[in-house]
Amino acid sequence: TQLLEQSPQFLSIQEGENLTVYCNSSSVFSSLQWYRQEPGEGPVLLVTVVTGGEVKKLKRLTFQFGDARKDSSLHITAAQTGDTGLYLCAGAIRSARQLTFGSGTQLTVLP
Amino acid sequence: ETGVTQSPTHLIKTRGQQVTLRCSSQSGHNTVSWYQQALGQGPQFIFQYYREEENGRGNFPPRFSGLQFPNYSSELNVNALELDDSALYLCASTLTSGANVLTFGAGSRLTVL
């Protein structure tokens, strides 16, 4: 069974601050995805990383895939209130039909 | 291009009852997956359907079953509902079989009393 642990579980910060969310596993994944989910909505894909050590930037968001493809991080610079939401990491194994999701990090950005 | 639509958005059932949830895939997507998301948790994979057949299943009992129709729409059926079945049920479609890039619907919120 592949498990993904996310930390922190809850994060409340002021607008303009920086933050990092972590996603760790003992399993190796062929790719890892990050989603954001808002209340009453399904998760929306932010990024997919597939190569160990890969770093992807999406405006103020920076995603990193660990060298061993077991962990990942999401860094947000100068957080805005619109960044509020549940951030989920999800790992895929090439032979599998499913994504394995972490339990999520609930981010609240205060004005 | 329409996204993934699910119905109903909310419903309340009692223990022992049966429920059917429906999903229309995004146009052009032939694979649909269902996930269960309990409150405060990440989604958990229930099963995937491709070309009207189940081709992957998570750790869920047989009372969770599904169907995919020729137009790629799908149903999730849950028999003998239990209190722990209370959750958000998410449908996601993809272009091809596999984990790939999922497009999720907004979900059906099931409450079992």
Side-chain angles (χ1 to χ4, degrees):
Chain A
T1 304
Q2 302 83 31
L3 292 175
L4 277 169
E5 295 183 357
Q6 284 189 241
S7 61
Q9 188 177 357
F10 298 96
L11 188 55
S12 182
I13 61 171
Q14 294 292 135
E15 197 168 28
E17 292 183 348
N18 302 331
L19 67 113
T20 302
V21 176
Y22 299 94
C23 176
N24 295 292
S25 176
S26 58
S27 300
V28 175
F29 293 99
S30 57
S31 66
L32 197 134
Q33 301 176 353
W34 284 91
Y35 290 80
R36 189 176 84 184
Q37 184 177 21
E38 300 190 32
E41 301 292 331
V44 175
L45 180 67
L46 296 174
V47 77
T48 300
V49 285
V50 296
T51 304
E54 181 177 3
V55 177
K56 277 193 175 178
K57 293 191 176 183
L58 191 68
K59 296 183 181 179
R60 295 176 294 99
L61 277 60
T62 301
F63 305 87
Q64 185 163 8
F65 201 12
D67 291 342
R69 304 208 311 276
K70 293 182 178 181
D71 55 86
S72 181
S73 63
L74 157 61
H75 182 79
I76 301 179
T77 303
Q80 300 176 356
T81 55
D83 295 328
T84 293
L86 178 68
Y87 288 82
L88 295 159
C89 64
I93 296 175
R94 200 174 306 278
S95 60
R97 305 296 185 194
Q98 75 249 39
L99 287 177
T100 299
F101 280 85
S103 56
T105 294
Q106 181 62 54
L107 171 65
T108 303
V109 182
L110 303 169
Chain B
E1 171 177 283
T2 58
V4 176
T5 57
Q6 293 187 242
S7 62
T9 55
H10 297 82
L11 71 166
I12 300 174
K13 293 284 187 177
T14 56
R15 274 187 306 174
Q17 285 189 312
Q18 178 266 345
V19 68
T20 298
L21 308 177
R22 296 179 175 82
C23 171
S24 293
S25 303
Q26 181 164 320
S27 177
H29 287 189
N30 61 14
T31 302
V32 65
S33 300
W34 285 90
Y35 285 78
Q36 180 196 66
Q37 186 176 22
L39 200 60
Q41 300 294 320
Q44 286 197 326
F45 177 72
I46 303 175
F47 43 55
Q48 182 183 88
Y49 276 80
Y50 172 66
R51 292 187 175 179
E52 303 175 53
E53 290 194 2
E54 183 183 300
N55 75 336
R57 189 176 183 94
N59 189 25
F60 280 82
R63 59 188 186 85
F64 285 77
S65 63
L67 284 173
Q68 187 183 30
F69 300 99
N71 65 355
Y72 304 133
S73 65
S74 176
E75 286 183 357
L76 164 65
N77 299 289
V78 187
N79 294 321
L81 284 167
E82 301 177 359
L83 297 180
D84 285 349
D85 295 334
S86 295
L88 180 68
Y89 288 85
L90 295 163
C91 171
S93 69
T94 55
L95 270 174
T96 59
S97 176
N100 291 323
V101 177
L102 301 180
T103 301
F104 282 91
S108 293
R109 171 73 63 186
L110 171 66
T111 301
V112 182
L113 302 176

